[in-house]
Amino acid sequence: MTVSDSTARAPLPCALPDSPLANAAAGLDACVHCGFCLPACPTYVNLHDENDSPRGRLLLMRRLLDGELPPDDPDVGAHMDRCLGCRACETACPSGVPYGELLEATRATLREARPTPFVARVVLGVFRRQSLLTVALLGARLLRATGLPRLLARVLPPRMAFPFAMLASTAPVRLPKGHGVVTLTPALKADAAVTMLEGCVMQGLFAHTNHATARTLRATGHTVAFTRGQVCCGALHAHAGDLDSARALARRNIAAFERTPHALIAVNSAGCGAMLKEYGHLLHDDTDWHARAQAVSARVRDVSELLAGRLAPATRSTEPSPAPRLRVAYDPPCHLMHAQRITREPVAVLAALPGVELVPLMDADQCCGSAGIYNLVEPDTSDAVLEPKLRNIADARVELLVSGNPGCLMQLGAGLLQSGSVTRAVHPVELLDAALQRGADPEHPLSSR
Ligand code: SF4
Ligand code: SF4
């Protein structure tokens, strides 16, 4: 039965005209309230409150627009703050609701009416200023080198110790010696030009992963050029609703990457990759920058996209192996799996590693609770989301947990360290780099490089 025009409720006038949320409202109309997204949502699964589910939050957004709730309503703010922005609801949604865009627009709208928490203001301020960020990351590296963070992670009360455990977990992991060599695909095109997003946290705390990325790209037939003038990608600011800062940082990166116009942009941090791929959307109403942003976004590739097609799957013998296999589990970063929809390529990279047994991880598609600075500003919910993940990792009985995002590596690494686990968290590229360095395929045309 259809509702006649005479009985249909007239749409309410928009209570927040010209706000970011009002401008994104078309996405809100796509929700049919089916609830398919609920079991995918880590906050709903762990907190059991409809207001902490995607469907509930979308309803809150609608009520904000209809004027039924004011933008300074503390409960609305709390439910929006508790969202991880993991976008698992987007993958689960059959109606194509652009939840990530709606969340950013809502946070940008609420930001006008309620103050940003102090910790978030400090972190976002530091990440906005390159010189401050460089000093902060240098200080963090010096502190890490003393070994104090690892000690404090063990002796302080768990929540106070967590930031130290996160810092300790950024140190390079000594990878076990494996066996066998990685085989490159025979007919690949050599000398594909790439440049790398260095990334602020990646370059500041995971420089070893950046070096491993450059080596693996070269070893698989890419020429790697470096691009000067890069800054933070702006993802933290966009997710917090500080769209002006995100746009300012995006413009600087776009100008930087225009200096290497013919190179694909390799990114080894899933959150940064998702942000760069969305620069076109971020600057969609900026006439001077929109086309430039789209051109840069179109060149962005997760490093697994560049590597997967160049590696042959390792031969798996059914005979008992002469050397013990390395048990490895893969935890896909949300911004790779749900935001970029990249699932097969990282697994293909791991499948190319001889001597590695890829162990399935229960609920691998659920967020780890890192979500940028979420674990600092929403520690209780972050802990609640991390706990089942650590249980599943323990059940998998693996030596290594791999994940291609610095936030996930720090969150999972800290959780593993504090729980006394022997499992270590590493970036998949580091594992590939170690395997490539064990020996090159002498038959391959690239082996002499
Ligand atoms: S967001 Fe999608 S999956 Fe969730 S209730 Fe709305 S239409 Fe259904
Ligand atoms: S982004 Fe993640 S935490 Fe937020 S509503 Fe969607 S599934 Fe839930």
Side-chain angles (χ1 to χ4, degrees):
M1 191 177 79
T2 56
V3 181
S4 72
D5 287 343
S6 59
T7 57
R9 192 179 75 154
L12 294 172
C14 179
L16 301 166
D18 297 325
S19 64
L21 180 56
N23 295 336
L28 210 49
D29 295 338
C31 178
V32 296
H33 314 293
C34 63
F36 285 177
C37 53
L38 267 58
C41 173
T43 55
Y44 179 71
V45 167
N46 286 288
L47 303 175
H48 315 290
D49 182 343
E50 172 84 15
N51 290 305
D52 285 315
S53 77
R55 184 172 64 183
R57 292 188 178 109
L58 291 166
L59 199 58
L60 293 176
M61 293 173 198
R62 171 58 64 199
R63 290 193 171 150
L64 286 168
L65 285 178
D66 288 349
E68 292 171 18
L69 288 169
D72 60 356
D73 184 296
D75 290 336
V76 174
H79 294 302
M80 294 304 164
D81 286 348
R82 276 203 285 272
C83 176
L84 289 144
C86 68
R87 295 170 65 176
C89 47
E90 269 190 45
T91 320
C93 176
S95 301
V97 174
Y99 183 87
E101 287 175 25
L102 284 162
L103 177 69
E104 278 179 14
T106 305
R107 285 181 171 166
T109 303
L110 298 187
R111 207 166 170 266
E112 308 294 320
R114 53 196 289 273
T116 307
F118 176 72
V119 177
R121 273 209 313 276
V122 170
V123 176
L124 295 177
V126 170
F127 276 75
R128 202 165 37 230
R129 295 171 187 83
Q130 189 59 36
S131 50
L132 263 185
L133 183 56
T134 304
V135 172
L137 290 169
L138 174 66
R141 279 200 305 278
L142 292 173
L143 181 60
R144 183 179 70 184
T146 64
L148 201 57
R150 184 168 287 273
L151 180 71
L152 293 174
R154 293 207 171 100
V155 297
L156 288 176
R159 196 15 80 182
M160 211 187 286
F162 202 78
F164 293 106
M166 286 172 69
L167 180 57
S169 68
T170 63
V173 172
R174 191 192 299 267
L175 294 173
K177 290 261 179 270
H179 58 277
V181 293
V182 176
T183 310
L184 303 181
T185 16
L188 60 84
K189 181 175 163 288
D191 291 335
V194 297
T195 184
M196 279 175 55
L197 175 80
E198 291 172 15
C200 43
V201 173
M202 288 307 293
Q203 190 61 16
L205 297 177
F206 291 92
H208 51 282
T209 309
N210 273 1
H211 294 147
T213 303
R215 279 193 297 269
T216 54
L217 285 169
R218 287 198 190 95
T220 52
H222 301 86
T223 53
V224 183
F226 289 92
T227 301
R228 287 180 189 280
Q230 301 180 37
V231 290
C232 167
C233 69
L236 292 181
H237 306 84
H239 300 332
D242 182 1
L243 297 180
D244 288 342
S245 296
R247 288 182 185 124
L249 292 165
R251 289 186 194 100
R252 290 179 64 182
N253 279 325
I254 291 163
F257 284 115
E258 284 176 340
R259 296 188 189 121
T260 46
H262 304 298
L264 294 175
I265 303 164
V267 184
N268 57 11
S269 157
C272 308
M275 185 75 254
L276 261 66
K277 286 182 178 180
E278 287 167 12
Y279 274 179
H281 171 73
L282 183 68
L283 294 164
H284 69 276
D285 55 2
D286 185 328
T287 45
D288 292 336
W289 287 85
H290 181 220
R292 295 170 67 179
Q294 281 184 311
V296 165
S297 290
R299 290 160 48 204
V300 177
R301 301 286 184 278
D302 183 73
V303 66
S304 65
E305 292 182 272
L306 297 170
L307 296 171
R310 293 171 176 251
L311 303 169
T315 311
R316 309 273 176 214
S317 170
T318 51
E319 301 296 318
S321 172
R325 289 225 173 139
L326 185 65
R327 286 174 64 84
V328 174
Y330 172 55
D331 192 52
C334 296
H335 279 86
L336 199 56
M337 179 177 228
H338 301 303
Q340 299 187 55
R341 307 283 170 107
I342 294 172
T343 52
R344 282 180 295 114
E345 290 83 349
V347 175
V349 170
L350 295 170
L353 302 174
V356 162
E357 181 181 350
L358 194 54
V359 180
L361 183 66
M362 172 86 85
D363 292 336
D365 58 348
Q366 288 269 316
C367 182
C368 64
S370 166
I373 55 171
Y374 186 96
N375 52 10
L376 299 178
V377 293
E378 292 288 337
D380 293 341
T381 316
S382 178
D383 285 350
V385 172
L386 177 60
E387 201 184 304
K389 182 69 80 180
L390 292 176
R391 264 201 316 272
N392 291 331
I393 296 168
D395 289 346
R397 291 179 295 107
V398 289
E399 287 144 286
L400 294 177
L401 180 84
V402 297
S403 194
N405 189 54
C408 309
L409 289 172
M410 291 166 80
Q411 170 88 345
L412 294 165
L416 291 167
L417 185 63
Q418 285 193 316
S419 65
S421 171
V422 293
T423 304
R424 291 285 169 266
V426 294
H427 196 289
V429 159
E430 287 180 64
L431 214 47
L432 174 61
D433 179 50
L436 282 166
Q437 289 192 38
R438 279 197 295 270
D441 176 359
E443 301 300 318
H444 196 277
L446 297 174
S447 63
S448 61
R449 285 170 185 276

Coordinates of all heavy atoms in Angstrom, one line a residue, residues 121-157:
R121 N 42.3 17.8 21.0 CA 42.8 19.1 20.5 C 44.3 19.2 20.5 O 44.9 19.7 19.5 CB 42.3 20.3 21.5 CG 40.9 20.8 21.1 CD 40.7 22.2 21.5 NE 41.2 22.6 22.9 CZ 40.4 22.4 24.0 NH1 39.2 21.9 23.9 NH2 40.9 22.7 25.2
V122 N 44.9 18.6 21.5 CA 46.4 18.6 21.5 C 47.0 17.8 20.4 O 47.8 18.2 19.6 CB 46.9 18.1 22.9 CG1 48.4 17.9 22.9 CG2 46.5 19.1 24.0
V123 N 46.4 16.6 20.3 CA 47.0 15.7 19.2 C 46.8 16.2 17.8 O 47.7 16.3 17.0 CB 46.3 14.3 19.4 CG1 46.8 13.3 18.2 CG2 46.7 13.6 20.7
L124 N 45.5 16.7 17.6 CA 45.3 17.3 16.3 C 46.1 18.5 16.0 O 46.6 18.7 14.8 CB 43.8 17.6 16.1 CG 42.8 16.4 16.2 CD1 41.3 16.9 16.2 CD2 43.0 15.4 15.1
G125 N 46.3 19.3 17.0 CA 47.2 20.5 16.8 C 48.6 20.1 16.5 O 49.2 20.7 15.6
V126 N 49.1 19.1 17.1 CA 50.5 18.7 16.8 C 50.6 18.1 15.4 O 51.5 18.5 14.6 CB 51.0 17.6 17.9 CG1 52.3 17.0 17.4 CG2 51.1 18.3 19.3
F127 N 49.6 17.3 15.0 CA 49.7 16.7 13.7 C 49.4 17.7 12.6 O 49.7 17.4 11.4 CB 48.7 15.5 13.6 CG 49.2 14.2 14.1 CD1 49.3 14.0 15.5 CD2 49.6 13.2 13.3 CE1 49.8 12.8 16.0 CE2 50.1 12.0 13.7 CZ 50.2 11.8 15.1
R128 N 48.9 18.9 12.9 CA 48.7 19.9 11.9 C 50.0 20.7 11.6 O 50.1 21.3 10.6 CB 47.6 20.9 12.5 CG 46.9 21.7 11.4 CD 45.6 22.3 12.0 NE 45.7 22.8 13.3 CZ 44.8 22.6 14.3 NH1 43.8 21.8 14.0 NH2 45.0 23.1 15.5
R129 N 50.9 20.7 12.6 CA 52.1 21.5 12.4 C 53.3 20.6 12.3 O 53.7 19.9 13.2 CB 52.3 22.4 13.6 CG 51.2 23.5 13.8 CD 51.3 24.2 15.1 NE 50.2 25.1 15.3 CZ 49.0 24.7 15.8 NH1 48.8 23.5 16.1 NH2 48.0 25.6 15.9
Q130 N 53.9 20.6 11.1 CA 54.9 19.6 10.7 C 56.1 19.7 11.6 O 56.7 18.7 12.1 CB 55.3 19.8 9.3 CG 56.3 18.8 8.7 CD 55.6 17.4 8.8 OE1 54.4 17.2 8.6 NE2 56.4 16.3 9.1
S131 N 56.5 21.0 12.0 CA 57.7 21.1 12.8 C 57.5 20.5 14.2 O 58.3 19.8 14.8 CB 58.1 22.6 12.9 OG 57.0 23.4 13.3
L132 N 56.3 20.8 14.8 CA 55.9 20.3 16.1 C 55.9 18.8 16.1 O 56.4 18.1 17.0 CB 54.6 20.8 16.6 CG 54.5 22.0 17.5 CD1 53.0 22.2 17.8 CD2 55.3 21.7 18.7
L133 N 55.3 18.3 15.0 CA 55.2 16.8 14.9 C 56.5 16.1 14.8 O 56.8 15.1 15.4 CB 54.3 16.5 13.6 CG 54.0 15.1 13.3 CD1 53.3 14.4 14.5 CD2 53.1 14.9 12.1
T134 N 57.4 16.8 14.0 CA 58.8 16.2 13.9 C 59.5 16.1 15.2 O 60.1 15.1 15.6 CB 59.6 17.1 12.9 OG1 58.9 17.2 11.7 CG2 61.0 16.5 12.6
V135 N 59.3 17.2 16.0 CA 60.0 17.2 17.3 C 59.3 16.1 18.2 O 60.0 15.4 18.9 CB 59.8 18.6 18.0 CG1 60.3 18.6 19.4 CG2 60.6 19.6 17.2
A136 N 58.0 16.0 18.2 CA 57.3 15.1 19.1 C 57.7 13.6 18.7 O 57.9 12.8 19.6 CB 55.7 15.2 18.9
L137 N 57.8 13.4 17.4 CA 58.1 12.0 17.0 C 59.6 11.7 17.3 O 59.9 10.5 17.7 CB 57.8 11.8 15.5 CG 56.3 11.7 15.2 CD1 56.1 11.8 13.7 CD2 55.7 10.5 15.7
L138 N 60.5 12.7 17.2 CA 61.9 12.5 17.6 C 61.9 12.2 19.1 O 62.7 11.2 19.5 CB 62.7 13.8 17.3 CG 64.1 13.8 17.7 CD1 64.9 12.7 17.0 CD2 64.8 15.1 17.5
G139 N 61.2 12.9 19.9 CA 61.2 12.7 21.3 C 60.7 11.2 21.6 O 61.2 10.5 22.5
A140 N 59.6 10.8 20.9 CA 59.1 9.5 21.1 C 60.1 8.4 20.7 O 60.3 7.4 21.4 CB 57.8 9.3 20.2
R141 N 60.9 8.7 19.7 CA 61.9 7.7 19.3 C 63.0 7.6 20.3 O 63.5 6.5 20.6 CB 62.6 8.1 17.9 CG 61.7 7.7 16.7 CD 62.6 7.6 15.4 NE 63.3 8.9 15.2 CZ 62.7 9.9 14.6 NH1 61.5 9.9 14.2 NH2 63.4 11.0 14.3
L142 N 63.4 8.8 20.8 CA 64.5 8.8 21.9 C 64.0 8.0 23.1 O 64.7 7.2 23.7 CB 64.8 10.2 22.2 CG 65.6 11.0 21.1 CD1 65.7 12.5 21.5 CD2 66.9 10.4 20.8
L143 N 62.7 8.3 23.5 CA 62.2 7.6 24.7 C 62.1 6.1 24.4 O 62.5 5.3 25.3 CB 60.8 8.1 25.0 CG 60.0 7.5 26.1 CD1 60.8 7.8 27.4 CD2 58.6 8.1 26.3
R144 N 61.7 5.7 23.2 CA 61.7 4.3 22.8 C 63.0 3.6 22.9 O 63.2 2.5 23.4 CB 61.1 4.1 21.4 CG 60.9 2.7 21.0 CD 60.4 2.7 19.5 NE 61.3 3.1 18.5 CZ 61.1 3.2 17.2 NH1 59.9 3.0 16.8 NH2 62.0 3.6 16.4
A145 N 64.1 4.4 22.5 CA 65.4 3.8 22.5 C 65.9 3.5 23.9 O 66.8 2.7 24.1 CB 66.4 4.8 21.8
T146 N 65.4 4.2 24.9 CA 65.8 4.0 26.3 C 65.3 2.7 26.8 O 65.8 2.2 27.9 CB 65.3 5.1 27.3 OG1 63.9 5.0 27.3 CG2 65.8 6.5 26.8
G147 N 64.3 2.1 26.2 CA 63.7 0.9 26.7 C 62.7 1.1 27.8 O 62.0 0.2 28.3
L148 N 62.6 2.4 28.3 CA 61.7 2.7 29.4 C 60.2 2.4 29.1 O 59.5 1.8 29.9 CB 61.8 4.2 29.7 CG 61.4 4.6 31.1 CD1 62.1 3.8 32.2 CD2 61.7 6.1 31.3
P149 N 59.7 2.7 27.8 CA 58.3 2.4 27.6 C 57.9 0.9 27.8 O 56.9 0.6 28.3 CB 58.1 2.8 26.1 CG 59.2 3.8 25.9 CD 60.3 3.4 26.7
R150 N 58.8 0.0 27.4 CA 58.5 -1.4 27.5 C 58.5 -1.8 29.0 O 57.6 -2.5 29.4 CB 59.6 -2.2 26.8 CG 59.4 -3.7 26.8 CD 60.4 -4.4 25.9 NE 60.0 -4.2 24.5 CZ 59.1 -4.9 23.8 NH1 58.6 -6.0 24.4 NH2 58.8 -4.7 22.6
L151 N 59.4 -1.1 29.8 CA 59.3 -1.4 31.3 C 58.1 -0.8 31.9 O 57.4 -1.5 32.7 CB 60.6 -0.8 31.9 CG 60.7 -0.9 33.4 CD1 61.1 -2.4 33.7 CD2 61.8 0.0 33.9
L152 N 57.7 0.4 31.6 CA 56.6 1.1 32.1 C 55.3 0.3 31.7 O 54.3 0.3 32.5 CB 56.5 2.6 31.7 CG 57.6 3.5 32.3 CD1 57.5 4.8 31.7 CD2 57.5 3.5 33.8
A153 N 55.3 -0.2 30.5 CA 54.1 -0.9 30.0 C 53.8 -2.1 30.9 O 52.7 -2.6 31.0 CB 54.3 -1.4 28.6
R154 N 54.8 -2.6 31.6 CA 54.7 -3.8 32.4 C 54.3 -3.5 33.9 O 53.7 -4.2 34.6 CB 55.9 -4.7 32.4 CG 56.2 -5.3 31.1 CD 57.0 -6.6 31.2 NE 57.1 -7.2 29.9 CZ 58.1 -7.2 29.1 NH1 59.2 -6.5 29.5 NH2 58.1 -7.8 28.0
V155 N 54.8 -2.3 34.4 CA 54.7 -2.0 35.8 C 53.5 -1.0 36.1 O 53.0 -1.1 37.3 CB 56.0 -1.5 36.4 CG1 57.1 -2.5 36.3 CG2 56.4 -0.2 35.8
L156 N 53.1 -0.2 35.2 CA 52.1 0.8 35.5 C 50.7 0.2 35.5 O 50.6 -0.9 34.8 CB 52.1 2.0 34.5 CG 53.3 2.9 34.6 CD1 53.3 4.0 33.5 CD2 53.3 3.7 36.0
P157 N 49.7 0.8 36.1 CA 48.3 0.3 35.9 C 48.0 0.2 34.4 O 48.4 1.1 33.7 CB 47.5 1.3 36.6 CG 48.4 2.0 37.6 CD 49.7 1.9 36.9

